[in-house]
Amino acid sequence: MLNIAVLVSGGGTNLQALIDAEKAGKIENGRISVVVASKPGVYALERAKNAGIEGVVLARKDFDSVDDYSAALEKLLKEKQTDLIVLAGFMTITNAAFTKAFENRIINVHPALIPSFCGKGYYGLHVHEAALARGVKVSGATVHFVNEVCDGGPIILQKAVPVEPGDTPETLQRRIMEQAEWQLLPEAVSLFCAGRLSVDGAVVTIKDK
């Protein structure tokens, strides 16, 4: 059974999708062993508590630099014997040494079809605002491994979601969460825990069972 650490900074809707998937037996060979929040008082910690999962606060504001925070986070996750790290609305930057320490063991979900609307500055509603401003007819979500390049790691899964007439950033965000993010993230985690993901450079191959 692999130990999964979920890193959060807010409400934890993607965390809840993972919790629900685990309870339903949809995550093969893995369990959420700890939830780490980058600030205190976020509702994601309440979700963890309600599910009987350990919650830890490692507040970014308590550290002088990205390097200091990254080192502390790395130490904590290694102490917890973490096999897989899932970024679920984790809005805190870590350094290249952190991503290297957990190479191909950090998964993130991005609310667009990478390489569109990704990279520095593209997070939260900003992604959907940019998509609507560009007039795209489909958007979606991408689950990818994390490396030192923002949203630049190998892509694991993607799903397209239609953009509807009259969409606002909020309605598009909700549709992408419901139709893509909450489905893809547990699936990718399960594939990882089952040992079915192979990474060769920028390409991820899903192996047969």
Side-chain angles (χ1 to χ4, degrees):
M1 218 43 162
L2 300 189
N3 289 321
I4 303 165
V6 183
L7 275 51
V8 298
S9 295
T13 54
N14 280 316
L15 167 64
Q16 190 64 55
L18 291 168
I19 291 171
D20 292 345
E22 183 182 335
K23 284 185 177 179
K26 294 180 180 178
I27 296 179
E28 184 181 345
N29 195 44
R31 67 180 186 92
I32 304 169
S33 56
V34 66
V35 172
V36 182
S38 63
K39 49 188 176 181
V42 295
Y43 189 65
L45 290 170
E46 191 68 21
R47 294 182 191 272
K49 182 181 177 182
N50 292 339
I53 300 167
E54 180 186 8
V56 177
V57 177
L58 191 69
R60 173 64 182 90
K61 65 180 178 60
D62 294 339
F63 296 84
D64 292 332
S65 68
V66 169
D67 289 343
D68 289 345
Y69 184 80
S70 298
L73 184 58
E74 179 181 339
K75 182 174 182 289
L76 170 65
L77 293 172
K78 286 182 175 178
E79 286 174 351
K80 298 295 182 182
Q81 297 182 310
T82 302
D83 299 297
L84 174 66
I85 300 164
V86 181
L87 308 185
F90 187 65
M91 304 304 292
T92 299
I93 294 170
T94 55
N95 62 14
F98 178 82
T99 56
K100 192 68 177 174
F102 298 98
E103 187 173 13
N104 294 334
R105 291 197 289 143
I106 309 172
I107 287 177
N108 181 54
V109 60
H110 182 74
L113 296 173
I114 292 174
S116 296
F117 310 112
C118 67
K120 189 175 181 181
Y122 285 102
Y123 61 90
L125 284 176
H126 296 299
V127 176
H128 308 298
E129 289 167 354
L132 291 174
R134 185 63 182 85
V136 298
K137 307 309 177 191
V138 294
S139 189
T142 303
V143 180
H144 63 95
F145 284 113
V146 175
N147 62 14
E148 68 280 2
V149 179
C150 183
D151 297 327
I155 292 170
I156 301 168
L157 296 170
Q158 290 185 301
K159 185 177 180 182
V161 174
V163 177
E164 304 289 355
D167 260 336
T168 64
E170 289 79 9
T171 61
L172 182 57
Q173 179 186 54
R174 186 70 188 184
R175 187 180 309 112
I176 288 173
M177 285 193 297
E178 291 176 345
Q179 296 185 16
E181 292 183 48
W182 297 346
Q183 297 173 26
L184 294 184
L185 189 56
E187 182 181 353
V189 168
S190 183
L191 288 169
F192 179 94
C193 292
R196 294 180 58 199
L197 299 179
S198 173
V199 185
D200 183 9
V203 178
V204 176
T205 302
I206 299 174
K207 296 182 283 188
D208 293 334
K209 285 187 177 180

